[in-house]
Amino acid sequence: MKLLNAFLISLGITLAVMAVNYVYYLYNKWLLLCLTMHGGEITVQFGFGLVLSHIFAMRPEDHDSIRLRFEPISFVLTILVLTAIIYVVFRFIKRKG
């Protein structure tokens, strides 16, 4: 039962943060809560199932390329990691209580 509750809580957290990231992206073209990696003319942001790739133009006549996509593996891994953390917290609370 604790594992199911931990899973449902982590699913809710992941979906809520994904929604926050998506709305923030619509207004700012960046993700708010994410891991950012820079490399040369590209910046990639990973955040709760979403991946944003921003390739910067290198010449004046070029345009930046911004692409947001849903990454199922990242989504599932986020849920699994959060489930494990929340489950451990539940176990710790029970031992203390």
Side-chain angles (χ1 to χ4, degrees):
M1 189 65 172
K2 287 181 193 171
L3 188 59
L4 178 62
N5 287 340
F7 173 77
L8 293 176
I9 291 170
S10 67
L11 179 64
I13 290 171
T14 302
L15 291 174
V17 175
M18 183 188 291
V20 167
N21 272 343
Y22 183 70
V23 170
Y24 191 83
Y25 164 77
L26 291 177
Y27 289 103
N28 300 304
K29 299 300 183 212
W30 293 100
L31 298 180
L32 180 62
L33 302 167
C34 64
L35 172 68
T36 302
M37 299 174 67
H38 301 283
E41 71 276 356
I42 187 169
T43 298
V44 180
Q45 295 182 313
F46 303 93
F48 296 85
L50 297 175
V51 177
L52 176 72
S53 302
H54 187 160
I55 301 173
F56 297 93
M58 299 304 287
R59 298 182 300 178
E61 63 270 8
D62 290 341
H63 300 285
D64 287 359
S65 172
I66 300 173
R67 180 175 175 217
L68 179 71
R69 68 182 189 276
F70 173 71
E71 189 68 42
I73 294 173
S74 172
F75 181 74
V76 170
L77 286 176
T78 302
I79 291 174
L80 291 176
V81 168
L82 284 176
T83 299
I85 292 169
I86 292 169
Y87 182 73
V88 168
V89 169
F90 282 168
R91 298 282 299 207
F92 183 74
I93 289 173
K94 183 178 180 182
R95 282 195 185 145
K96 290 290 183 182

